[in-house]
mmCIF file of all heavy atoms in Angstrom:
data_model
loop_
_atom_site.group_PDB
_atom_site.id
_atom_site.type_symbol
_atom_site.label_atom_id
_atom_site.label_comp_id
_atom_site.label_asym_id
_atom_site.label_seq_id
_atom_site.Cartn_x
_atom_site.Cartn_y
_atom_site.Cartn_z
ATOM 1 N N LYS A 1 5.706 -187.760 -12.740
ATOM 2 C CA LYS A 1 5.295 -186.904 -11.650
ATOM 3 C C LYS A 1 4.020 -186.143 -12.009
ATOM 4 O O LYS A 1 3.148 -185.932 -11.125
ATOM 5 C CB LYS A 1 6.378 -185.928 -11.217
ATOM 6 C CG LYS A 1 7.513 -186.639 -10.460
ATOM 7 C CD LYS A 1 8.626 -185.635 -10.094
ATOM 8 C CE LYS A 1 9.660 -186.238 -9.250
ATOM 9 N NZ LYS A 1 10.776 -185.313 -8.875
ATOM 10 N N ALA A 2 3.897 -185.734 -13.259
ATOM 11 C CA ALA A 2 2.749 -185.018 -13.675
ATOM 12 C C ALA A 2 1.463 -185.904 -13.611
ATOM 13 O O ALA A 2 0.405 -185.497 -13.259
ATOM 14 C CB ALA A 2 2.899 -184.486 -15.098
ATOM 15 N N CYS A 3 1.712 -187.180 -13.937
ATOM 16 C CA CYS A 3 0.604 -188.184 -13.864
ATOM 17 C C CYS A 3 0.149 -188.335 -12.442
ATOM 18 O O CYS A 3 -1.017 -188.437 -12.121
ATOM 19 C CB CYS A 3 1.010 -189.510 -14.490
ATOM 20 S SG CYS A 3 1.229 -189.510 -16.258
ATOM 21 N N ILE A 4 1.143 -188.393 -11.524
ATOM 22 C CA ILE A 4 0.830 -188.562 -10.109
ATOM 23 C C ILE A 4 0.075 -187.360 -9.600
ATOM 24 O O ILE A 4 -0.979 -187.482 -8.901
ATOM 25 C CB ILE A 4 2.116 -188.744 -9.293
ATOM 26 C CG1 ILE A 4 2.855 -190.026 -9.668
ATOM 27 C CG2 ILE A 4 1.859 -188.747 -7.799
ATOM 28 C CD1 ILE A 4 4.288 -190.154 -9.134
ATOM 29 N N ARG A 5 0.512 -186.184 -9.998
ATOM 30 C CA ARG A 5 -0.075 -184.891 -9.526
ATOM 31 C C ARG A 5 -1.548 -184.745 -10.083
ATOM 32 O O ARG A 5 -2.438 -184.387 -9.343
ATOM 33 C CB ARG A 5 0.796 -183.788 -10.002
ATOM 34 C CG ARG A 5 0.240 -182.388 -9.577
ATOM 35 C CD ARG A 5 1.033 -181.273 -10.192
ATOM 36 N NE ARG A 5 0.837 -181.170 -11.584
ATOM 37 C CZ ARG A 5 1.847 -181.378 -12.510
ATOM 38 N NH1 ARG A 5 3.057 -181.632 -12.093
ATOM 39 N NH2 ARG A 5 1.585 -181.273 -13.833
ATOM 40 N N ASP A 6 -1.696 -185.097 -11.376
ATOM 41 C CA ASP A 6 -2.934 -184.779 -12.069
ATOM 42 C C ASP A 6 -3.999 -185.869 -11.889
ATOM 43 O O ASP A 6 -5.220 -185.582 -11.878
ATOM 44 C CB ASP A 6 -2.729 -184.600 -13.560
ATOM 45 C CG ASP A 6 -1.821 -183.341 -13.838
ATOM 46 O OD1 ASP A 6 -1.667 -182.498 -12.914
ATOM 47 O OD2 ASP A 6 -1.187 -183.315 -14.924
ATOM 48 N N THR A 7 -3.543 -187.111 -11.782
ATOM 49 C CA THR A 7 -4.551 -188.222 -11.705
ATOM 50 C C THR A 7 -4.458 -189.025 -10.381
ATOM 51 O O THR A 7 -5.468 -189.533 -9.911
ATOM 52 C CB THR A 7 -4.359 -189.211 -12.862
ATOM 53 O OG1 THR A 7 -3.195 -190.002 -12.646
ATOM 54 C CG2 THR A 7 -4.249 -188.460 -14.177
ATOM 55 N N GLY A 8 -3.239 -189.179 -9.845
ATOM 56 C CA GLY A 8 -3.093 -189.991 -8.638
ATOM 57 C C GLY A 8 -3.216 -191.487 -8.885
ATOM 58 O O GLY A 8 -2.991 -192.237 -7.919
ATOM 59 N N ARG A 9 -3.534 -191.894 -10.064
ATOM 60 C CA ARG A 9 -3.786 -193.300 -10.327
ATOM 61 C C ARG A 9 -3.011 -193.633 -11.644
ATOM 62 O O ARG A 9 -3.280 -193.078 -12.692
ATOM 63 C CB ARG A 9 -5.237 -193.573 -10.557
ATOM 64 C CG ARG A 9 -6.166 -193.145 -9.411
ATOM 65 C CD ARG A 9 -7.612 -193.312 -9.823
ATOM 66 N NE ARG A 9 -8.535 -192.740 -8.755
ATOM 67 C CZ ARG A 9 -8.928 -191.464 -8.782
ATOM 68 N NH1 ARG A 9 -8.518 -190.600 -9.734
ATOM 69 N NH2 ARG A 9 -9.698 -190.972 -7.822
ATOM 70 N N LEU A 10 -2.125 -194.581 -11.545
ATOM 71 C CA LEU A 10 -1.205 -194.905 -12.660
ATOM 72 C C LEU A 10 -1.279 -196.432 -13.004
ATOM 73 O O LEU A 10 -1.316 -197.218 -12.043
ATOM 74 C CB LEU A 10 0.204 -194.554 -12.450
ATOM 75 C CG LEU A 10 0.587 -193.031 -12.387
ATOM 76 C CD1 LEU A 10 0.076 -192.374 -11.189
ATOM 77 C CD2 LEU A 10 2.115 -192.850 -12.502
ATOM 78 N N ILE A 11 -1.234 -196.797 -14.252
ATOM 79 C CA ILE A 11 -1.173 -198.166 -14.688
ATOM 80 C C ILE A 11 0.036 -198.233 -15.697
ATOM 81 O O ILE A 11 0.012 -197.459 -16.675
ATOM 82 C CB ILE A 11 -2.472 -198.685 -15.305
ATOM 83 C CG1 ILE A 11 -3.631 -198.622 -14.320
ATOM 84 C CG2 ILE A 11 -2.264 -200.096 -15.838
ATOM 85 C CD1 ILE A 11 -4.981 -198.907 -14.938
ATOM 86 N N THR A 12 0.969 -199.087 -15.465
ATOM 87 C CA THR A 12 2.058 -199.333 -16.439
ATOM 88 C C THR A 12 1.728 -200.582 -17.237
ATOM 89 O O THR A 12 1.105 -201.532 -16.719
ATOM 90 C CB THR A 12 3.389 -199.449 -15.807
ATOM 91 O OG1 THR A 12 3.383 -200.512 -14.873
ATOM 92 C CG2 THR A 12 3.806 -198.162 -15.149
ATOM 93 N N VAL A 13 2.094 -200.587 -18.494
ATOM 94 C CA VAL A 13 1.843 -201.699 -19.446
ATOM 95 C C VAL A 13 3.060 -201.960 -20.228
ATOM 96 O O VAL A 13 3.609 -201.070 -20.865
ATOM 97 C CB VAL A 13 0.590 -201.406 -20.382
ATOM 98 C CG1 VAL A 13 0.167 -202.717 -21.056
ATOM 99 C CG2 VAL A 13 -0.537 -200.770 -19.663
ATOM 100 N N GLU A 14 3.485 -203.193 -20.212
ATOM 101 C CA GLU A 14 4.742 -203.561 -20.962
ATOM 102 C C GLU A 14 4.753 -205.020 -21.335
ATOM 103 O O GLU A 14 4.187 -205.882 -20.639
ATOM 104 C CB GLU A 14 5.957 -203.266 -20.090
ATOM 105 C CG GLU A 14 5.944 -204.042 -18.715
ATOM 106 C CD GLU A 14 6.995 -203.542 -17.748
ATOM 107 O OE1 GLU A 14 8.123 -203.263 -18.187
ATOM 108 O OE2 GLU A 14 6.669 -203.383 -16.565
ATOM 109 N N ASP A 15 5.448 -205.276 -22.433
ATOM 110 C CA ASP A 15 5.676 -206.631 -22.879
ATOM 111 C C ASP A 15 7.010 -207.062 -22.295
ATOM 112 O O ASP A 15 8.011 -207.237 -23.106
ATOM 113 C CB ASP A 15 5.634 -206.721 -24.414
ATOM 114 C CG ASP A 15 5.805 -208.152 -24.964
ATOM 115 O OD1 ASP A 15 5.929 -209.060 -24.134
ATOM 116 O OD2 ASP A 15 5.751 -208.305 -26.192
ATOM 117 N N HIS A 16 7.087 -207.242 -20.988
ATOM 118 C CA HIS A 16 8.327 -207.480 -20.251
ATOM 119 C C HIS A 16 7.930 -207.938 -18.905
ATOM 120 O O HIS A 16 6.840 -207.761 -18.440
ATOM 121 C CB HIS A 16 9.089 -206.138 -20.178
ATOM 122 C CG HIS A 16 10.512 -206.269 -19.558
ATOM 123 N ND1 HIS A 16 10.634 -206.260 -18.230
ATOM 124 C CD2 HIS A 16 11.766 -206.356 -20.099
ATOM 125 C CE1 HIS A 16 11.982 -206.325 -17.954
ATOM 126 N NE2 HIS A 16 12.655 -206.409 -19.067
ATOM 127 N N ASN A 17 8.762 -208.654 -18.246
ATOM 128 C CA ASN A 17 8.556 -209.034 -16.861
ATOM 129 C C ASN A 17 8.156 -207.802 -16.041
ATOM 130 O O ASN A 17 8.768 -206.753 -16.156
ATOM 131 C CB ASN A 17 9.799 -209.648 -16.297
ATOM 132 C CG ASN A 17 9.516 -210.439 -14.979
ATOM 133 O OD1 ASN A 17 8.580 -210.179 -14.265
ATOM 134 N ND2 ASN A 17 10.365 -211.414 -14.716
ATOM 135 N N ILE A 18 7.119 -207.913 -15.173
ATOM 136 C CA ILE A 18 6.724 -206.795 -14.374
ATOM 137 C C ILE A 18 7.813 -206.374 -13.378
ATOM 138 O O ILE A 18 7.793 -205.338 -12.766
ATOM 139 C CB ILE A 18 5.428 -207.066 -13.596
ATOM 140 C CG1 ILE A 18 5.517 -208.297 -12.741
ATOM 141 C CG2 ILE A 18 4.246 -207.136 -14.621
ATOM 142 C CD1 ILE A 18 4.345 -208.476 -11.748
ATOM 143 N N LEU A 19 8.826 -207.266 -13.227
ATOM 144 C CA LEU A 19 9.970 -206.965 -12.346
ATOM 145 C C LEU A 19 11.066 -206.276 -13.194
ATOM 146 O O LEU A 19 11.471 -206.794 -14.252
ATOM 147 C CB LEU A 19 10.540 -208.245 -11.746
ATOM 148 C CG LEU A 19 9.582 -209.087 -10.881
ATOM 149 C CD1 LEU A 19 10.276 -210.359 -10.396
ATOM 150 C CD2 LEU A 19 8.942 -208.300 -9.750
ATOM 151 N N ASN A 20 11.439 -205.121 -12.697
ATOM 152 C CA ASN A 20 12.650 -204.381 -13.203
ATOM 153 C C ASN A 20 12.532 -203.674 -14.564
ATOM 154 O O ASN A 20 13.477 -203.061 -15.010
ATOM 155 C CB ASN A 20 13.873 -205.363 -13.313
ATOM 156 C CG ASN A 20 14.223 -205.971 -11.955
ATOM 157 O OD1 ASN A 20 14.075 -205.335 -10.904
ATOM 158 N ND2 ASN A 20 14.688 -207.235 -11.987
ATOM 159 N N GLY A 21 11.348 -203.753 -15.190
ATOM 160 C CA GLY A 21 11.151 -203.008 -16.445
ATOM 161 C C GLY A 21 10.515 -201.676 -16.191
ATOM 162 O O GLY A 21 10.774 -200.933 -15.259
ATOM 163 N N LEU A 22 9.609 -201.298 -17.154
ATOM 164 C CA LEU A 22 8.962 -200.007 -17.067
ATOM 165 C C LEU A 22 8.150 -199.837 -15.774
ATOM 166 O O LEU A 22 8.218 -198.803 -15.077
ATOM 167 C CB LEU A 22 8.012 -199.880 -18.279
ATOM 168 C CG LEU A 22 7.147 -198.562 -18.288
ATOM 169 C CD1 LEU A 22 7.969 -197.306 -18.312
ATOM 170 C CD2 LEU A 22 6.109 -198.593 -19.419
ATOM 171 N N GLY A 23 7.386 -200.962 -15.403
ATOM 172 C CA GLY A 23 6.607 -200.819 -14.148
ATOM 173 C C GLY A 23 7.458 -200.518 -12.907
ATOM 174 O O GLY A 23 7.081 -199.718 -12.065
ATOM 175 N N SER A 24 8.633 -201.202 -12.812
ATOM 176 C CA SER A 24 9.490 -200.939 -11.666
ATOM 177 C C SER A 24 10.064 -199.547 -11.714
ATOM 178 O O SER A 24 10.235 -198.953 -10.694
ATOM 179 C CB SER A 24 10.548 -201.982 -11.633
ATOM 180 O OG SER A 24 10.004 -203.269 -11.323
ATOM 181 N N ALA A 25 10.407 -199.097 -12.934
ATOM 182 C CA ALA A 25 11.059 -197.740 -13.030
ATOM 183 C C ALA A 25 10.014 -196.704 -12.577
ATOM 184 O O ALA A 25 10.290 -195.794 -11.929
ATOM 185 C CB ALA A 25 11.446 -197.480 -14.483
ATOM 186 N N VAL A 26 8.751 -196.833 -12.993
ATOM 187 C CA VAL A 26 7.697 -195.939 -12.591
ATOM 188 C C VAL A 26 7.418 -196.073 -11.094
ATOM 189 O O VAL A 26 7.202 -195.070 -10.391
ATOM 190 C CB VAL A 26 6.426 -196.164 -13.444
ATOM 191 C CG1 VAL A 26 5.201 -195.334 -12.854
ATOM 192 C CG2 VAL A 26 6.711 -195.755 -14.878
ATOM 193 N N ALA A 27 7.440 -197.286 -10.550
ATOM 194 C CA ALA A 27 7.154 -197.530 -9.184
ATOM 195 C C ALA A 27 8.183 -196.784 -8.300
ATOM 196 O O ALA A 27 7.814 -196.384 -7.218
ATOM 197 C CB ALA A 27 7.182 -199.023 -8.889
ATOM 198 N N ASP A 28 9.435 -196.746 -8.752
ATOM 199 C CA ASP A 28 10.436 -195.939 -8.042
ATOM 200 C C ASP A 28 10.015 -194.543 -7.798
ATOM 201 O O ASP A 28 10.205 -193.993 -6.721
ATOM 202 C CB ASP A 28 11.768 -196.058 -8.801
ATOM 203 C CG ASP A 28 12.439 -197.448 -8.777
ATOM 204 O OD1 ASP A 28 12.050 -198.264 -8.015
ATOM 205 O OD2 ASP A 28 13.341 -197.604 -9.669
ATOM 206 N N VAL A 29 9.523 -193.936 -8.869
ATOM 207 C CA VAL A 29 9.098 -192.505 -8.861
ATOM 208 C C VAL A 29 7.894 -192.394 -7.919
ATOM 209 O O VAL A 29 7.891 -191.426 -7.115
ATOM 210 C CB VAL A 29 8.831 -191.972 -10.235
ATOM 211 C CG1 VAL A 29 8.432 -190.449 -10.142
ATOM 212 C CG2 VAL A 29 10.032 -192.146 -11.160
ATOM 213 N N VAL A 30 6.930 -193.268 -8.073
ATOM 214 C CA VAL A 30 5.728 -193.194 -7.218
ATOM 215 C C VAL A 30 6.076 -193.321 -5.760
ATOM 216 O O VAL A 30 5.650 -192.606 -4.884
ATOM 217 C CB VAL A 30 4.679 -194.252 -7.643
ATOM 218 C CG1 VAL A 30 3.534 -194.345 -6.658
ATOM 219 C CG2 VAL A 30 4.249 -194.037 -9.048
ATOM 220 N N ALA A 31 6.951 -194.362 -5.462
ATOM 221 C CA ALA A 31 7.363 -194.552 -4.034
ATOM 222 C C ALA A 31 8.088 -193.342 -3.463
ATOM 223 O O ALA A 31 7.803 -192.950 -2.341
ATOM 224 C CB ALA A 31 8.218 -195.791 -3.985
ATOM 225 N N GLU A 32 8.997 -192.759 -4.231
ATOM 226 C CA GLU A 32 9.746 -191.661 -3.781
ATOM 227 C C GLU A 32 8.907 -190.401 -3.589
ATOM 228 O O GLU A 32 9.229 -189.506 -2.777
ATOM 229 C CB GLU A 32 10.969 -191.398 -4.627
ATOM 230 C CG GLU A 32 12.007 -192.485 -4.592
ATOM 231 C CD GLU A 32 13.172 -192.299 -5.497
ATOM 232 O OE1 GLU A 32 13.178 -191.334 -6.292
ATOM 233 O OE2 GLU A 32 14.098 -193.134 -5.497
ATOM 234 N N SER A 33 7.845 -190.320 -4.344
ATOM 235 C CA SER A 33 6.975 -189.099 -4.265
ATOM 236 C C SER A 33 6.089 -189.213 -3.034
ATOM 237 O O SER A 33 5.571 -188.203 -2.567
ATOM 238 C CB SER A 33 6.125 -188.959 -5.526
ATOM 239 O OG SER A 33 5.092 -189.957 -5.577
ATOM 240 N N GLY A 34 5.832 -190.448 -2.604
ATOM 241 C CA GLY A 34 4.954 -190.613 -1.431
ATOM 242 C C GLY A 34 3.475 -190.365 -1.758
ATOM 243 O O GLY A 34 2.642 -190.210 -0.912
ATOM 244 N N LYS A 35 3.172 -190.348 -3.061
ATOM 245 C CA LYS A 35 1.783 -190.091 -3.493
ATOM 246 C C LYS A 35 1.353 -191.067 -4.618
ATOM 247 O O LYS A 35 2.215 -191.544 -5.287
ATOM 248 C CB LYS A 35 1.630 -188.634 -3.937
ATOM 249 C CG LYS A 35 1.959 -187.564 -2.925
ATOM 250 C CD LYS A 35 1.854 -186.179 -3.540
ATOM 251 C CE LYS A 35 2.238 -185.099 -2.575
ATOM 252 N NZ LYS A 35 2.221 -183.764 -3.152
ATOM 253 N N GLY A 36 0.100 -191.212 -4.805
ATOM 254 C CA GLY A 36 -0.432 -191.953 -5.914
ATOM 255 C C GLY A 36 -0.487 -193.470 -5.661
ATOM 256 O O GLY A 36 0.219 -193.964 -4.742
ATOM 257 N N VAL A 37 -1.229 -194.106 -6.532
ATOM 258 C CA VAL A 37 -1.256 -195.623 -6.487
ATOM 259 C C VAL A 37 -0.921 -196.120 -7.901
ATOM 260 O O VAL A 37 -1.157 -195.421 -8.900
ATOM 261 C CB VAL A 37 -2.650 -196.127 -6.089
ATOM 262 C CG1 VAL A 37 -2.899 -195.787 -4.609
ATOM 263 C CG2 VAL A 37 -3.735 -195.507 -6.945
ATOM 264 N N LEU A 38 -0.299 -197.284 -7.931
ATOM 265 C CA LEU A 38 0.194 -197.881 -9.186
ATOM 266 C C LEU A 38 -0.234 -199.325 -9.273
ATOM 267 O O LEU A 38 -0.156 -200.081 -8.376
ATOM 268 C CB LEU A 38 1.702 -197.715 -9.268
ATOM 269 C CG LEU A 38 2.458 -198.470 -10.396
ATOM 270 C CD1 LEU A 38 2.119 -197.797 -11.704
ATOM 271 C CD2 LEU A 38 3.989 -198.475 -10.132
ATOM 272 N N ARG A 39 -0.579 -199.723 -10.550
ATOM 273 C CA ARG A 39 -0.787 -201.045 -10.880
ATOM 274 C C ARG A 39 0.075 -201.433 -12.114
ATOM 275 O O ARG A 39 0.149 -200.559 -13.023
ATOM 276 C CB ARG A 39 -2.255 -201.398 -11.226
ATOM 277 C CG ARG A 39 -3.226 -201.155 -10.044
ATOM 278 C CD ARG A 39 -3.059 -202.160 -8.993
ATOM 279 N NE ARG A 39 -4.015 -201.993 -7.870
ATOM 280 C CZ ARG A 39 -3.813 -201.233 -6.792
ATOM 281 N NH1 ARG A 39 -2.662 -200.573 -6.699
ATOM 282 N NH2 ARG A 39 -4.714 -201.133 -5.873
ATOM 283 N N ARG A 40 0.728 -202.600 -12.108
ATOM 284 C CA ARG A 40 1.596 -202.995 -13.200
ATOM 285 C C ARG A 40 0.976 -204.111 -13.991
ATOM 286 O O ARG A 40 0.665 -205.163 -13.438
ATOM 287 C CB ARG A 40 2.945 -203.392 -12.588
ATOM 288 C CG ARG A 40 3.708 -202.264 -11.890
ATOM 289 C CD ARG A 40 4.980 -202.834 -11.258
ATOM 290 N NE ARG A 40 4.682 -203.746 -10.178
ATOM 291 C CZ ARG A 40 5.558 -204.579 -9.662
ATOM 292 N NH1 ARG A 40 6.755 -204.673 -10.105
ATOM 293 N NH2 ARG A 40 5.230 -205.427 -8.683
ATOM 294 N N VAL A 41 0.904 -203.852 -15.283
ATOM 295 C CA VAL A 41 0.499 -204.876 -16.228
ATOM 296 C C VAL A 41 1.687 -205.279 -17.064
ATOM 297 O O VAL A 41 2.422 -204.427 -17.576
ATOM 298 C CB VAL A 41 -0.666 -204.360 -17.156
ATOM 299 C CG1 VAL A 41 -1.006 -205.370 -18.223
ATOM 300 C CG2 VAL A 41 -1.886 -204.020 -16.334
ATOM 301 N N GLY A 42 1.928 -206.589 -17.157
ATOM 302 C CA GLY A 42 3.083 -207.092 -17.949
ATOM 303 C C GLY A 42 3.176 -208.586 -17.767
ATOM 304 O O GLY A 42 2.291 -209.234 -17.237
ATOM 305 N N VAL A 43 4.320 -209.131 -18.200
ATOM 306 C CA VAL A 43 4.537 -210.560 -18.056
ATOM 307 C C VAL A 43 4.646 -210.909 -16.595
ATOM 308 O O VAL A 43 5.394 -210.224 -15.816
ATOM 309 C CB VAL A 43 5.773 -210.990 -18.830
ATOM 310 C CG1 VAL A 43 6.041 -212.486 -18.638
ATOM 311 C CG2 VAL A 43 5.690 -210.719 -20.291
ATOM 312 N N GLN A 44 3.932 -211.863 -16.123
ATOM 313 C CA GLN A 44 3.737 -212.115 -14.677
ATOM 314 C C GLN A 44 4.838 -212.953 -14.069
ATOM 315 O O GLN A 44 4.577 -214.063 -13.511
ATOM 316 C CB GLN A 44 2.359 -212.716 -14.410
ATOM 317 C CG GLN A 44 1.218 -211.822 -14.777
ATOM 318 C CD GLN A 44 1.190 -210.512 -13.983
ATOM 319 O OE1 GLN A 44 1.072 -210.549 -12.796
ATOM 320 N NE2 GLN A 44 1.266 -209.415 -14.654
ATOM 321 N N ASP A 45 6.085 -212.534 -14.262
ATOM 322 C CA ASP A 45 7.251 -213.243 -13.745
ATOM 323 C C ASP A 45 7.270 -214.775 -14.077
ATOM 324 O O ASP A 45 7.425 -215.594 -13.194
ATOM 325 C CB ASP A 45 7.379 -213.001 -12.233
ATOM 326 C CG ASP A 45 8.755 -213.384 -11.710
ATOM 327 O OD1 ASP A 45 9.735 -213.348 -12.549
ATOM 328 O OD2 ASP A 45 8.858 -213.741 -10.498
ATOM 329 N N GLN A 46 6.902 -215.046 -15.366
ATOM 330 C CA GLN A 46 6.822 -216.442 -15.784
ATOM 331 C C GLN A 46 7.370 -216.518 -17.179
ATOM 332 O O GLN A 46 7.315 -215.583 -17.951
ATOM 333 C CB GLN A 46 5.413 -216.930 -15.703
ATOM 334 C CG GLN A 46 4.428 -216.214 -16.658
ATOM 335 C CD GLN A 46 3.008 -216.666 -16.563
ATOM 336 O OE1 GLN A 46 2.733 -217.689 -15.959
ATOM 337 N NE2 GLN A 46 2.085 -215.884 -17.079
ATOM 338 N N PHE A 47 7.918 -217.727 -17.503
ATOM 339 C CA PHE A 47 8.410 -217.949 -18.808
ATOM 340 C C PHE A 47 7.229 -218.149 -19.755
ATOM 341 O O PHE A 47 6.148 -218.572 -19.432
ATOM 342 C CB PHE A 47 9.327 -219.161 -18.852
ATOM 343 C CG PHE A 47 10.658 -218.954 -18.265
ATOM 344 C CD1 PHE A 47 10.976 -219.511 -17.048
ATOM 345 C CD2 PHE A 47 11.640 -218.102 -18.889
ATOM 346 C CE1 PHE A 47 12.230 -219.332 -16.439
ATOM 347 C CE2 PHE A 47 12.871 -217.918 -18.281
ATOM 348 C CZ PHE A 47 13.173 -218.474 -17.094
#
């Protein structure tokens, strides 16, 4: 929430599928806050 408030722009980075990992956990917070934009960097849902 502090990142949303202070920057409004977030990027998550993880060595994990972009689905259901860190990116999704942060996306939940961003969506519920109704503010900020998010981009997810991670494994692109592929083996």
Side-chain angles (χ1 to χ4, degrees):
K1 287 182 176 178
C3 291
I4 297 169
R5 181 187 67 241
D6 298 340
T7 75
R9 308 172 187 89
L10 288 74
I11 299 172
T12 57
V13 191
E14 59 191 316
D15 184 359
H16 185 277
N17 196 334
I18 57 169
L19 303 179
N20 300 327
L22 175 64
S24 290
V26 172
D28 291 343
V29 181
V30 174
E32 289 176 359
S33 73
K35 300 176 183 177
V37 292
L38 170 69
R39 297 291 182 270
R40 294 175 296 163
V41 174
V43 178
Q44 298 298 300
D45 195 26
Q46 62 184 347
F47 288 108

